[in-house]
Amino acid sequence: MRVSVIGCGHLGAPHAAAMAELGHEVIGVELNPETCKILQTGRGAFHEKGLDELLDKHVHTGRLRFTTDLHEAAATADLHFIGVGTPLRSDGRGYDVGQVVGAVRSLAPLLTRPATIVGKSTVTVGTVARLQEIIREHAGSEGVDLVWNPEFLREGHAVEDSLYPDRIVAGLASPEAENAIREVYAPILARGDAELIVTDPATAEVLKSAANAYLSTKISYINAMAEVCEITGADVATVAHGIGIDPRIGHGGMRPGIGYGGGCLPKDVAAFTHRVGEIGATGAAALLNAVEHINHARLDAARDLVETAHGRPLDTATIAVLGASFKAGTSDVRNSPALRLAGLLHSSAARTIIHDPESVPAARRLHPEYTYADNIGTALRDADVVVLATEWPQYTRDADLPTAAARAVRRKVLVDVRTAVDIDAWAAAGWTVHQLGRPAQQSTA
Ligand SMILES: NC(=O)c1ccc[n+]([C@@H]2O[C@H](COP(=O)([O-])OP(=O)(O)OC[C@H]3O[C@@H](n4cnc5c(N)ncnc54)[C@H](O)[C@@H]3O)[C@@H](O)[C@H]2O)c1
């Protein structure tokens, strides 16, 4: 099929590459000329595991190209994915859907033959109905269908999740639209490992918001239990393991830490919380308000843990922060709890130096006032406390790191706010290890 992907950011670029890999002829439309220029060279404008390889492959086979020109996409493609951003409004009261409305409003009059518009961006319930109106009013042809096809990819696994999704949700209203969805995803559906859920647009909208809200609730739940463990002296890691054995609960999302972040969960929970409150779903609003409250509070708990670990006021400490991106596998620093914690420490400690294998350029653009190290050795040198803030494998799986790091620092004190390291290996190399919701592990060296 000839498809376009409008908006080639964290969702759109992997999706465009995946559509080319599935055999479609793809044209990616990206408004930002700098981003577009990078994509045209067959690279991503940010780090995402496996993305550069897939972009490079298909930009050079000619099956995938990028442009800033929407006319070219309208003229070429029969199906148009919309992957533009839906940031939180500046007052926090729901999404700013300007990019989505703008993209559909610009595209509709250019469509002079039947086509399918497939929205992948996350929107509040009611947005699809509004877009349908715009299409009815402005489309340049009869037979322009709108489908809402929310995306569930995980950053850090975006390519894999785009190629091998666990579900495809399609909110639609006509047999033609369903045929188009079945055709564009045919290679995935033929494998039989992804469920296709065909539903109405409102259900698709709510389904996506409900999924992100549930994930955030699970994360906040175990983080709330970490708070209980801190007060009672219990060990939250054992609690998480023990409760997760029950298949009704499960272990996914059960690792205690500094809370959720990134370009999706914080804004999606905030927008959904506002919306459910607005429509009078008071129970849902109360639950989600608590989820958000817990998430914010864990950052302060992490800062306090660093101070406890240091044993003195933080303004006497040199702190190495390992990790700035919101999770491992991506350079995305949007709403990153790691970078926020680094910010709290930056404003309290004598010296805070941040290392990240991929996201230092993005972090530096956002916070030029912080100090960054290009290599881990520089970050660790003379540190009084090392804070593991993002669970990159370089930090958590390198068996030599505890010993190598021990030689660089002033004091062997590790605060692992992701509950990610092999605590015994670090203790055996002489470190005292602190994790949220767990008793400190003293050095066993
Ligand atoms: N990032 C994720 O992991 C993820 C996962 C699921 C859903 N989503 C949803 O997908 C949407 C996009 O998120 P993202 O993280 O990719 O955002 P992003 O900011 O990384 O990307 C959006 C891109 O769209 C471009 N754009 C805006 N208007 C445009 C237009 N009219 N024409 C062409 N390009 C335009 C922007 O320049 C930007 O590059 C959001 O609604 C988000 O909630 C994201």
Side-chain angles (χ1 to χ4, degrees):
M1 259 179 124
R2 284 175 307 184
V3 308
S4 82
V5 178
I6 299 165
C8 294
H10 292 84
L11 177 153
H15 188 70
M19 288 300 108
E21 178 72 3
L22 294 183
H24 299 304
E25 191 186 313
V26 185
I27 178 162
V29 184
E30 172 49 55
L31 205 57
N32 182 323
E34 296 306 315
T35 305
C36 189
K37 216 179 281 171
I38 299 171
L39 289 164
Q40 283 166 340
T41 67
R43 279 184 307 120
F46 47 85
H47 172 78
E48 175 65 44
K49 204 169 53 182
L51 179 61
D52 285 355
E53 291 77 357
L54 207 61
L55 286 171
D56 186 59
K57 180 177 168 188
H58 291 298
V59 164
H60 291 103
T61 59
R63 216 186 281 163
L64 173 60
R65 63 204 165 89
F66 291 97
T67 177
T68 52
D69 184 4
L70 193 59
H71 291 78
E72 210 179 321
T76 317
D78 301 308
L79 185 146
H80 303 274
F81 287 107
I82 307 285
V84 300
T86 48
L88 202 59
R89 271 166 43 175
S90 53
D91 62 5
R93 297 161 74 85
Y95 293 115
D96 172 354
V97 289
Q99 289 182 38
V100 175
V101 170
V104 171
R105 178 71 184 80
S106 311
L107 178 65
L110 305 179
L111 299 175
T112 51
R113 58 179 193 277
T116 314
I117 300 176
V118 181
K120 296 198 76 62
S121 306
T122 306
V123 295
T124 341
V125 62
T127 308
V128 177
R130 186 173 157 200
L131 296 174
Q132 252 149 356
E133 275 303 309
I134 293 176
I135 292 169
R136 249 192 299 278
E137 216 174 297
H138 298 282
S141 160
E142 291 294 303
V144 175
D145 284 309
L146 178 64
V147 179
W148 217 256
N149 169 221
E151 178 55 59
F152 296 89
L153 67 79
R154 300 160 300 163
E155 280 183 44
H157 302 268
V159 171
E160 184 191 331
D161 289 350
S162 299
L163 288 170
Y164 300 95
D166 49 11
R167 77 210 101 156
I168 295 168
V169 175
L172 47 79
S174 77
E176 291 78 16
E178 182 172 344
N179 289 343
I181 285 292
R182 287 190 182 277
E183 190 182 343
V184 77
Y185 288 121
I188 294 173
L189 296 173
R191 284 200 308 260
D193 52 9
E195 181 173 339
L196 172 65
I197 301 171
V198 176
T199 183
D200 56 88
T203 304
E205 289 170 315
V206 174
L207 196 158
K208 171 62 191 177
S209 298
N212 277 2
Y214 186 75
L215 198 52
S216 308
T217 303
K218 221 174 163 192
I219 294 167
S220 278
Y221 180 80
I222 200 60
N223 286 339
M225 291 307 106
E227 185 188 2
V228 172
C229 289
E230 277 149 21
I231 298 164
T232 57
D235 180 347
V236 72
T238 309
V239 171
H241 175 68
I243 63 177
I245 290 170
D246 184 332
R248 293 170 302 174
I249 297 175
H251 286 120
M254 274 291 182
R255 190 163 62 192
I258 38 173
Y260 56 82
C264 290
L265 293 189
K267 76 168 170 75
D268 290 345
V269 177
F272 198 40
T273 306
H274 178 71
R275 184 69 180 142
V276 296
E278 205 173 49
I279 62 176
T282 50
L287 174 68
L288 295 176
N289 267 316
V291 166
E292 286 195 287
H293 172 76
I294 293 162
N295 202 54
H296 294 144
R298 291 322 281 168
L299 264 188
D300 294 327
R303 186 219 166 269
D304 293 348
L305 183 62
V306 175
E307 191 156 49
T308 304
H310 181 52
R312 277 170 271 170
L314 276 180
D315 60 8
T316 63
T318 292
I319 300 175
V321 177
L322 303 184
S325 53
F326 87 94
K327 69 194 279 204
T330 172
S331 57
D332 196 348
V333 293
R334 290 177 294 179
N335 258 312
S336 167
L339 202 51
R340 289 205 160 161
L341 176 59
L344 289 178
L345 297 171
H346 170 83
S347 49
S348 341
R351 190 165 164 268
T352 301
I353 183 157
I354 304 164
H355 176 263
D356 188 286
E358 298 292 347
S359 70
V360 166
R364 198 176 260 137
R365 274 196 298 277
L366 199 61
H367 288 293
E369 72 278 21
Y370 300 168
T371 307
Y372 301 92
D374 290 328
N375 65 69
I376 188 169
T378 309
L380 293 170
R381 195 170 307 138
D382 297 331
D384 296 298
V385 183
V386 176
V387 177
L388 189 134
T390 309
E391 70 288 17
W392 286 99
Q394 288 93 324
Y395 306 145
T396 60
R397 299 213 196 115
D398 178 354
D400 299 330
L401 184 61
T403 312
R407 285 196 290 269
V409 297
R410 192 157 34 214
R411 295 175 65 220
K412 295 189 274 289
V413 176
L414 176 71
V415 180
D416 168 18
V417 294
R418 296 286 188 164
T419 326
V421 302
D422 176 348
I423 201 164
D424 294 336
W426 283 79
W431 292 80
T432 300
V433 183
H434 301 259
Q435 293 173 325
L436 289 158
R438 306 188 75 185
Q441 163 80 51
Q442 301 302 326
S443 158
T444 53

